């Protein structure tokens, strides 16, 4: 009688475990593996310079505010990790934002003051936005798959939704990415934890490739 | 006539009644002389001194890697205490911890600078720019803060509030980081001055992190008080065992009535408390602890009286014993430390009352207290006279050569880990000398607001009110400009979005109740500002000037003669105390010798009555040298008690021989002394097992002082008079 009950328990556990594994596999299969990601996102082949213009729309739900910003951008990449991003804001007021793997420098000519934010000083839990945006703008397949779960759009291989693996470390719940024909960023739509949204469009992106050593990363000054 | 039985109960009730009327002071105020009182005051009044630092060692298996995992967990735990035990915790993410400070600073732009109508276009552009930065921010607390700060003044505040200690570390992942040791540091500020109640919950949380350690005044206070409590529970347990054994001994010897002698001592302690309270307004806990021990010496008179009730000489010897003890105690009344003065008033009053009570009781109710001799005296051992001679020599050598250490830090319980980490951490500060200038609110005037200008002109590091806010006159003009023009400007911002973002700031400046500062600091809203709270106490304000060299120190002293140097004051305190004791000890010894000389009028009894004191000192100095203990303030207090009873022993034993007491009288005196020494030894023994330096040093002085005194009495005075007779 006792052994019969034990057998029953073992079967039950086995069934639950099997179902659970299937469930896990099903969930996992929704997301891109690192191998799949490296074919979806652009592999690093050499130093690159991307230039173009951008339009940014931030919607702050709580107070019903829409902030529109536009200007020029420049992204320098010498290795998959080493990237400098320049944000030359023209409207509503001129301002420069420079982002490297180490620093974010905001140069506000009206305040005659530069604000330097050292990324190494900021906690991993920090969700102040700008520092986390860098991970997306780099589009490094290795880094992006280590930080995010990526789901490809059913209709287009150039559209994906990404979810931070560590929710507490990011201030956004999800981000919709759209790539252009050259696999460079065309648009990002962030849904933030507080339901605010940030949309950035990259317009007329030009790509220029260089040989190793031909360009040096500019520093944020 | 009152019966003895009713007298007993009246006595006990009186003691309990007296004790219930006493107001006990536990503050540190009384511990410091006048010049140090201010320094003590600043540490309890100003939150600038309530910063502590949680240091996190690298993980054991990765010595060169900072332990961010533990740091994150500790950070989360600490943040739960914000607004309860803690005011600020700076670790991990965002500006949430500093939000209150930054918001209060941002709002106060209306007091710091005028609103200039002509800058309208420029102001609009700055705000549009700030709004652009807002679009990058998704942290809620940072966003809500920036809504009060259209002109981004938070950066100004961060520049102003920079500290050389904090800047000596790198910042990594939201923590202070030391490159050499891979240690991480979390600064925390407590809500209140150090007290175990406020620190306990934090320490309970830190317990599970073996690699974390808190340095600072709160951490140190907690460890000291905890050690004292742990010691007391250990000492109490040992004391209970000893007391039970002692009671069994009394029952076995049919001498349980000896315990009755404790009642007059209790009454003496109670009356002394009342008188001390009448003089000082309250009585300090430490006075009660130490002073009661000295008053307890009155028990020796009771024991002497009880065992020697037949002899007329008993009360003459007791009187001389009292006078010599008082001479030692009264000299310390001239000490510069208020606590020692209070202790000595309490002790001398209590001792005199105890003596008086015993005298009256023995005179009228002597038969009730009469105790039969106990044949319980240390037998004479061959060669002990050489030990006594050596101890006297050690005593004399010790008193003339031993160096006293009056460094207050040595009275603190500091583990090796704490000593290492504290030296390492605060050593990063660069070692400038800080001068503290404390002003009552009533004395805050225009000159206070000039301090920052003076400091900047002379390149002196400064932290004070004037660094953050101009004078009330300037503040009033500034706030008026915001009320008149700033409010209408914010109401008519053309960009609706920008208007919405900065609406909290607009509401603030357009509030008809927006306060106007007055020259009267007490009534000024400035005293309630979060960014000034570290400099504003309940009734005073604080300014700190830090001199990087002697020249700057002189400059500060010239300009602000009332500014006190923390290091200098502590040094002067130690020097003053040492100076006091170097003359007080010889003077009290001379005074005692004078009393004895007047009483005996012969060198031999003077010598024998001092002999137990020197053997007591000799044994103490020997043990202190072997155990490498410093002779500190606490040891001196212990030795004052030893001085009190050891001369009593010397006088009692000398007198019984000198006045040719009968064999029975001699036996009764030595029984009383053995009994008194035994109670002392058993009472002080548990303190040797304590861990806190105060208890250990006091216990060492009292225990070895008593053993040495007893050896001097039995193996010194006794053989000198009996000339070789063996009992």
């Amino acid at each position: 009688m006792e052994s019969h009950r034990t057998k029953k328990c073992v079967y039950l556990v086995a069934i639950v475990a099997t179902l659970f594994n299937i469930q896990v596999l099903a969930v996992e299969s929704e997301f891109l593996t690192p191998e799949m990601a490296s074919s979806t996102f652009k592999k690093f082949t050499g130093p690159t310079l991307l230039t173009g213009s951008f339009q940014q729309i931030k919607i702050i739900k709580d107070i019903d505010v829409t902030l529109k910003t536009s200007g020029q951008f420049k992204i320098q990449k010498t290795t998959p990790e080493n990237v400098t991003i320049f944000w030359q804001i023209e409207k509503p007021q001129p301002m420069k934002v420079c982002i490297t793997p180490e620093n974010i420098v905001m140069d506000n000519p009206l305040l005659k003051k530069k604000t330097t934010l050292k990324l190494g000083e900021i906690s991993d839990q920090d969700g102040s936005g700008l520092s986390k945006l860098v991970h997306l703008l780099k589009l490094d397949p290795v880094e992006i798959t280590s930080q995010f779960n990526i789901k490809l759009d059913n209709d287009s291989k150039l559209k994906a939704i990404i979810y931070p693996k560590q929710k507490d470390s990011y201030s956004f719940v999800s981000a919709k990415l759209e790539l252009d024909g050259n696999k460079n960023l065309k648009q990002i739509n962030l849904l933030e934890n507080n339901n605010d949204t940030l949309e950035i469009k990259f317009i007329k992106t030009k790509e220029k490739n260089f040989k190793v050593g031909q360009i040096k990363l500019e520093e944020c000054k | 006539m009152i019966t003895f039985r009713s007298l007993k109960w009246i006595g006990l009730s009186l003691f309990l009644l007296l004790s219930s009327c006493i107001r006990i002071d536990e503050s540190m105020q009384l511990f410091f002389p006048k010049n140090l009182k201010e320094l003590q005051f600043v540490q309890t009044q100003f939150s600038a001194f309530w910063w502590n630092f949680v240091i996190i060692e690298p993980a054991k298996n990765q010595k060169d890697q900072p332990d961010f995992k533990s740091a994150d967990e500790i950070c989360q735990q600490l943040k739960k205490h914000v607004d309860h035990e803690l005011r600020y915790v700076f670790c991990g993410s965002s500006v949430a911890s500093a939000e209150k400070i930054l918001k209060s600073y941002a709002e106060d732009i209306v007091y710091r600078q005028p609103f200039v109508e002509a800058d309208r276009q420029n102001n609009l552009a700055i705000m549009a720019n700030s709004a652009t930065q807002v679009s990058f921010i998704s942290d809620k607390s940072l966003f809500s803060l920036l809504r009060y700060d259209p002109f981004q003044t938070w950066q100004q505040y961060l520049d102003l509030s920079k500290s050389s200690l904090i800047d000596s570390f790198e910042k990594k992942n939201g923590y202070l980081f030391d490159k050499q040791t891979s240690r991480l540091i979390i600064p925390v500020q407590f809500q209140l001055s150090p007290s175990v109640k406020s620190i306990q919950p934090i320490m309970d949380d830190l317990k599970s992190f073996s690699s974390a350690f808190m340095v600072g005044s709160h951490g140190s206070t907690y460890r000291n008080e905890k050690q004292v409590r742990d010691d007391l529970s250990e000492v109490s347990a040992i004391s209970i065992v000893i007391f039970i054994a002692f009671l069994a001994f009394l029952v076995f010897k049919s001498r349980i009535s000896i315990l009755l002698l404790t009642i007059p001592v209790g009454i003496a302690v109670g009356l002394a408390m009342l008188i001390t309270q009448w003089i000082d307004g309250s009585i300090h806990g430490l006075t009660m602890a130490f002073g009661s021990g000295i008053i307890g010496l009155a028990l020796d008179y009771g024991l002497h009286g009880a065992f020697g009730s037949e002899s007329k000489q008993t009360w003459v010897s007791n009187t001389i014993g009292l006078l010599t003890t008082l001479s030692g105690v009264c000299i310390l009344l001239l000490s510069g430390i208020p606590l020692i003065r209070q202790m000595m008033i309490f002790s001398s009053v209590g001792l005199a009352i105890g003596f008086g009570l015993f005298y009256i009781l023995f005179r009228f109710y002597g038969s009730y207290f009469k105790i039969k001799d106990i044949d319980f005296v240390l037998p004479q051992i061959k060669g002990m006279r050489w030990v006594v001679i050596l101890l006297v020599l050690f005593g004399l050598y010790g008193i003339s050569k031993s160096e006293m250490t009056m460094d207050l830090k040595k009275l603190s319980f500091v583990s090796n880990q704490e000593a290492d980490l504290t030296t390492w951490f605060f050593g990063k500060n660069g070692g400038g000398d800080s001068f503290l200038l404390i002003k009552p609110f009533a004395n805050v005037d225009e000159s206070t607001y000039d301090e920052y200008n003076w400091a900047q002109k002379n390149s002196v590091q400064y932290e004070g009110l004037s660094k953050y806010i101009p004078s009330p006159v300037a503040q009033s003009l500034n706030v008026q400009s915001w009320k008149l023009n700033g409010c209408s400007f914010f109401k008519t911002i053309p960009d609706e979005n920008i208007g919405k973002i900065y609406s909290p700031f607009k509401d603030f400046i357009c509030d008809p109740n927006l306060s106007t500062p007055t020259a009267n600091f007490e009534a000024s809203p400035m005293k309630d500002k979060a960014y000034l709270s570290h400099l504003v106490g309940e009734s005073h304000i604080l300014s700190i000037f830090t001199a990087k060299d002697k020249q700057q120190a002189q400059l500060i002293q010239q300009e602000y003669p009332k500014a006190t140097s923390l290091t200098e004051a502590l040094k002067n305190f130690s020097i003053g105390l040492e100076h006091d004791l170097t003359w007080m000890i010889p003077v009290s010894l001379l005074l005692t010798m004078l009393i004895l000389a007047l009483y005996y009028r012969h060198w031999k009894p003077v010598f024998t009555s001092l002999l137990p004191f020197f053997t007591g000192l000799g044994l103490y100095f020997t043990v202190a040298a072997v155990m490498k203990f410093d002779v500190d303030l606490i040891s001196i207090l212990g030795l004052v008690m030893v001085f009190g009873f050891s001369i009593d022993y010397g006088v009692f034993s000398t007198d019984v021989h000198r006045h040719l007491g009968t064999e029975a009288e001699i036996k009764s005196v030595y029984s009383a002394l053995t009994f008194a020494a035994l109670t002392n030894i058993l009472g002080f023994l548990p303190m040797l097992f304590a861990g806190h330096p105060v208890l250990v040093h006091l216990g060492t002085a009292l225990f070895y002082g008593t053993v040495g005194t007893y050896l001097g009495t039995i193996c010194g005075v006794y053989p000198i008079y009996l000339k070789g007779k063996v009992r």
Side-chain angles (χ1 to χ4, degrees):
Chain A
M1 183 70 182
E2 189 62 34
S3 71
H4 184 64
R5 191 177 290 168
T6 315
K7 268 184 188 172
K8 253 181 153 180
C9 279
V10 171
Y11 290 142
L12 199 63
V13 169
I15 290 164
V16 170
T18 315
L19 283 174
F20 181 74
N21 277 335
I22 289 166
Q23 185 65 30
V24 169
L25 284 173
V27 171
E28 278 185 352
S29 65
E30 277 187 282
F31 300 124
L32 295 188
T33 59
E35 293 75 32
M36 290 157 80
S38 55
S39 67
T40 306
F41 297 102
K42 200 172 198 167
K43 274 185 193 167
F44 178 81
T45 50
T48 329
L49 174 69
L50 293 172
T51 51
S53 52
F54 73 89
Q55 283 175 356
Q56 185 176 305
I57 300 171
K58 167 92 170 188
I59 298 173
I60 305 166
K61 285 251 166 87
D62 277 356
I63 52 172
D64 187 25
V65 162
T66 304
L67 293 169
K68 290 182 182 170
T69 317
S70 59
Q72 306 296 317
F73 75 88
K74 188 164 86 175
I75 301 175
Q76 290 181 334
K77 209 170 182 180
T78 52
T79 67
E81 297 84 29
N82 288 333
V83 177
T84 302
I85 299 159
F86 293 96
W87 227 243
Q88 178 92 39
I89 297 166
E90 290 163 353
K91 284 180 183 174
Q93 287 296 327
M95 187 169 82
K96 287 179 197 166
V97 179
C98 172
I99 309 168
T100 66
E102 291 84 32
N103 297 317
I104 298 174
V105 179
M106 286 187 259
D107 182 5
N108 193 332
L110 284 167
L111 286 176
K112 291 171 190 153
K113 176 118 187 126
K114 282 183 186 177
T115 308
T116 305
L117 211 60
K118 290 181 181 167
L119 291 177
E121 294 180 359
I122 304 168
S123 158
D124 277 344
Q125 302 155 12
D126 185 19
S128 60
L130 208 52
S131 61
K132 300 298 173 190
L133 207 57
V134 183
H135 290 300
L136 291 179
L137 297 179
K138 277 186 189 175
L139 277 189
D140 173 24
V142 179
E143 190 173 324
I144 209 162
T145 45
S146 73
Q147 298 277 331
F148 305 101
N149 286 320
I150 307 157
K151 194 177 162 186
L152 272 186
D153 192 284
N154 291 334
D155 302 327
S156 167
K157 283 195 170 181
L158 296 173
K159 285 182 182 173
I161 302 181
I162 66 162
Y163 305 93
K165 283 183 178 172
Q166 283 184 307
K167 285 178 187 167
D168 293 345
S169 300
Y170 282 84
S171 58
F172 59 87
V173 184
S174 65
K176 283 183 186 171
L177 299 183
E178 192 179 342
L179 306 177
D180 62 16
N182 291 326
K183 292 190 178 179
N184 290 317
L185 264 179
K186 190 177 170 190
Q187 190 168 331
I188 301 177
N189 287 29
L190 293 182
L191 174 61
E192 293 174 356
N193 294 339
N194 51 14
N195 279 334
D196 293 348
T197 56
L198 177 70
E199 179 191 293
I200 308 173
K201 282 181 185 166
F202 297 84
I203 303 156
K204 294 178 188 166
T205 305
K206 283 180 191 166
E207 184 180 332
K208 209 172 171 186
N209 295 307
F210 296 89
K211 286 178 185 167
V212 177
Q214 215 173 352
I215 58 161
K216 273 189 177 177
L217 273 189
E218 285 181 49
E219 284 179 20
C220 294
K221 285 177 186 170
Chain B
M1 181 95 177
I2 306 166
T3 63
F4 177 68
R5 186 181 289 265
S6 60
L7 202 67
K8 243 178 11 183
W9 292 113
I10 290 170
L12 197 63
S13 315
L14 189 64
F15 172 67
L16 292 173
L17 188 73
L18 289 175
S19 309
S20 63
C21 307
I22 299 303
R23 208 160 61 81
I24 297 172
D25 174 14
E26 286 183 343
S27 72
M28 295 286 280
Q29 292 286 312
L30 210 57
F31 206 78
F32 296 94
K34 214 175 173 186
N35 56 337
L36 270 189
K37 249 186 183 173
E38 270 194 339
L39 300 180
Q40 169 61 18
F41 176 75
V42 290
Q43 303 209 23
T44 52
Q45 287 288 309
F46 299 103
S47 61
F49 294 90
W50 301 346
W51 280 105
N52 283 253
F53 302 88
V54 178
I55 298 172
I56 302 145
E57 297 280 7
K60 274 182 186 160
N61 47 355
Q62 286 180 307
K63 284 267 177 199
D64 52 345
Q65 292 296 317
D67 186 0
F68 284 113
K69 190 173 169 283
S70 299
D72 287 345
E73 287 172 26
I74 292 169
C75 177
Q76 277 184 357
Q77 293 281 354
L78 290 173
K79 281 186 174 172
K80 285 181 196 161
H81 296 280
V82 172
D83 292 335
H84 300 284
E85 293 84 9
L86 298 177
R87 189 174 291 175
Y88 303 117
V89 175
F90 289 111
C91 61
S93 62
S94 75
V95 291
S97 296
E99 197 184 335
K100 254 185 279 174
I101 300 178
L102 294 175
K103 181 173 171 278
S104 136
Y105 185 79
E107 284 176 347
D108 276 6
I109 188 175
V110 300
Y111 298 111
R112 283 194 303 274
Q113 60 190 66
F115 181 81
V116 184
E117 178 90 71
D119 286 349
R120 186 180 171 85
Q121 285 312 315
N122 193 40
N123 286 339
L124 283 173
I126 291 174
M127 285 161 66
N129 223 320
S130 304
T132 307
Q133 286 194 29
V134 164
S135 66
F136 287 107
I137 288 160
S138 48
D139 182 285
K140 259 196 163 177
S141 57
L142 185 58
F143 177 63
S144 71
L145 165 70
L146 290 178
R147 294 186 73 193
Y148 283 91
D149 195 10
F151 303 104
Q152 295 200 35
T153 59
W154 62 277
Q155 294 181 48
Q156 273 174 27
Y157 177 78
L158 294 184
D159 286 343
L160 277 180
S161 60
K162 272 185 176 172
S163 130
S164 56
L165 177 62
I166 299 300
D167 286 349
S168 66
F169 293 97
E170 286 184 17
K171 281 121 198 156
K172 207 168 183 180
N173 290 1
Y175 298 95
L176 298 180
F177 169 66
D178 181 61
K179 221 175 175 179
Q180 276 92 40
T181 58
S182 296
R183 285 171 178 151
L184 296 172
I185 295 112
I186 302 177
V188 293
Q189 193 191 49
F190 280 82
Q191 292 272 14
L192 297 167
S193 60
S195 74
V196 170
K197 200 179 160 194
S198 64
I199 311 164
Q200 185 75 52
I202 315 292
M203 289 305 197
D204 286 346
D205 281 352
L206 289 180
K207 248 183 219 167
S208 47
F209 301 95
S210 58
S211 60
F213 194 88
M214 189 193 277
V215 298
S217 56
H218 287 70
S220 171
T221 302
Y222 173 81
R223 282 184 290 276
N224 266 279
E225 295 206 20
K226 187 178 174 296
Q227 186 59 47
V228 169
R229 270 184 297 164
D230 290 352
D231 280 352
L232 286 180
S233 63
E234 199 173 306
V235 165
S236 305
I238 300 170
S239 299
I240 287 168
V241 173
I242 290 174
F243 184 66
I244 291 169
F246 184 63
L247 280 183
F249 170 78
L250 292 178
V251 171
F252 178 69
K253 291 277 184 185
S254 309
R255 303 293 194 285
I256 196 78
S257 59
I258 277 182
L259 292 180
L260 284 177
L261 296 175
T262 55
I263 295 173
V265 176
I267 294 169
V269 170
L271 285 170
M273 280 182 199
L274 268 190
I275 293 168
T276 312
Q277 180 164 292
W278 177 67
I279 296 169
D280 283 345
S282 65
I283 182 163
H284 200 277
L286 284 173
T287 303
M288 300 250 300
F290 287 97
S292 301
I294 298 180
I295 297 174
L297 297 180
L299 194 65
D300 292 353
Y301 309 131
L303 282 169
H304 193 208
F307 281 104
S309 55
E310 308 284 319
S311 171
K312 284 179 185 168
Q313 184 56 34
T314 302
W315 283 97
V316 179
S317 306
N318 275 350
T319 309
I320 297 300
L322 174 74
L323 288 177
T324 51
T325 307
L326 286 182
S327 74
V329 168
C330 289
I331 288 292
L332 287 175
L333 275 174
L334 303 171
S335 162
I337 303 177
L339 180 72
I340 294 184
R341 284 202 302 270
Q342 190 189 67
M343 232 179 246
M344 294 309 140
I345 290 173
F346 175 71
S347 310
S348 47
V349 168
L351 205 55
I353 293 173
F355 178 88
L357 284 175
F358 276 125
Y359 181 76
I360 294 166
L361 284 173
F362 278 99
R363 173 137 194 167
F364 299 105
Y365 306 97
S367 56
Y368 291 100
F369 290 99
K370 193 178 170 186
I371 299 168
K372 273 194 248 163
D373 303 335
I374 300 175
D375 197 7
F376 185 67
V377 181
L378 190 74
Q380 293 298 315
I381 303 164
K382 234 183 176 182
M384 277 308 276
R385 75 170 73 171
W386 295 109
V387 175
V388 168
I389 291 169
L390 270 179
L391 287 179
V392 171
L393 291 175
F394 286 154
L396 287 169
Y397 181 78
I399 208 165
S400 61
K401 292 282 176 193
S402 74
E403 280 185 15
M404 287 184 287
T405 311
M406 294 301 132
D407 186 355
L408 291 180
K409 283 182 215 153
K410 296 212 169 173
L411 301 182
S412 177
F413 169 72
V414 184
S415 65
N416 289 341
Q417 186 189 18
E418 183 178 1
D420 291 349
L421 286 177
T422 307
T423 314
W424 167 78
F425 182 75
F426 291 105
K428 296 253 174 193
N429 204 12
D433 193 4
S434 293
F435 289 80
L436 311 182
L437 183 63
I438 308 152
K439 279 185 186 174
F441 287 165
N443 293 359
V444 177
D445 54 16
E446 283 288 319
S447 71
T448 310
Y449 295 93
D450 279 338
E451 287 170 4
Y452 186 44
N453 286 338
W454 179 87
Q456 277 195 312
K457 210 169 114 189
N458 294 286
S459 311
V460 169
Q461 203 183 319
Y462 169 80
E463 183 66 16
L465 215 61
S466 60
K467 188 171 166 183
Y468 300 97
I469 201 88
S471 72
V473 177
Q475 284 180 48
S476 296
L477 289 172
N478 292 341
V479 80
Q480 280 309 317
S481 71
W482 285 89
K483 278 182 173 177
L484 285 173
N485 306 318
C487 173
S488 59
F489 166 81
F490 270 84
K491 278 182 175 169
T492 53
I493 290 172
D495 187 323
E496 194 193 353
N497 284 323
I498 292 177
K500 278 181 186 170
I501 290 175
Y502 296 113
S503 65
F505 183 73
K506 178 201 76 188
D507 294 344
F508 171 73
I509 56 168
C510 296
D511 184 348
N513 297 322
L514 180 63
S515 52
T516 308
T518 62
N520 175 6
F521 193 79
E522 177 69 69
S524 163
M526 289 302 121
K527 70 180 174 61
D528 302 317
K529 300 289 179 186
Y531 67 98
L532 297 175
S533 65
H534 61 304
L535 302 167
V536 182
E538 280 169 26
S539 53
H540 291 68
I541 67 149
L542 169 73
S543 306
I544 308 170
F545 300 87
T546 307
K548 60 181 175 210
D549 51 35
K550 277 186 182 171
Q551 214 176 356
Q552 278 202 344
Q554 272 179 348
L555 207 64
I556 294 167
Q557 278 173 320
Q558 272 168 16
E559 185 69 20
Y560 299 102
K562 285 188 178 169
T564 324
S565 155
L566 197 65
T567 9
E568 200 65 23
L570 279 168
K571 213 162 78 184
N572 289 344
F573 168 73
S574 301
I575 293 169
L577 195 61
E578 271 176 48
H579 179 259
D580 275 4
L581 291 172
T582 37
W583 72 264
M584 281 177 187
I585 292 170
V587 166
S588 62
L589 261 175
L590 282 173
L591 198 62
T592 306
M593 283 165 79
L594 185 70
I595 294 169
L596 293 173
L598 285 172
Y599 173 55
Y600 290 121
R601 294 173 190 275
H602 194 276
W603 70 268
K604 189 180 169 187
V606 173
F607 169 73
T608 53
S609 49
L610 285 172
L611 182 68
F613 174 58
F614 285 107
T615 50
L617 274 188
L619 188 60
Y620 164 73
F621 282 127
T622 310
V623 172
V626 171
M627 293 172 81
K628 292 181 180 160
F629 280 164
D630 291 318
V631 182
D632 56 15
L633 180 63
I634 297 298
S635 313
I636 299 277
L637 286 177
L639 291 177
V640 168
M641 287 163 77
V642 172
F643 173 82
F645 64 76
S646 61
I647 292 178
D648 289 354
Y649 287 19
V651 170
F652 298 168
S653 54
T654 301
D655 275 5
V656 76
H657 295 294
R658 219 175 139 257
H659 294 279
L660 301 172
T662 61
E663 194 65 28
E665 280 172 341
I666 292 173
K667 199 174 160 189
S668 73
V669 166
Y670 281 97
S671 289
L673 294 181
T674 303
F675 216 86
L678 185 69
T679 50
N680 278 3
I681 288 167
L682 293 179
F684 302 141
L685 177 71
M687 291 167 91
L688 298 182
F689 299 96
H692 198 286
V694 167
L695 290 176
V696 175
H697 288 196
L698 183 69
T700 307
L702 291 172
F703 179 81
Y704 293 103
T706 311
V707 173
T709 295
Y710 186 66
L711 279 176
T713 313
I714 301 296
C715 307
V717 182
Y718 186 85
I720 285 174
Y721 285 103
L722 280 239
K723 290 187 181 165
K725 268 192 197 173
V726 179
R727 281 162 61 87

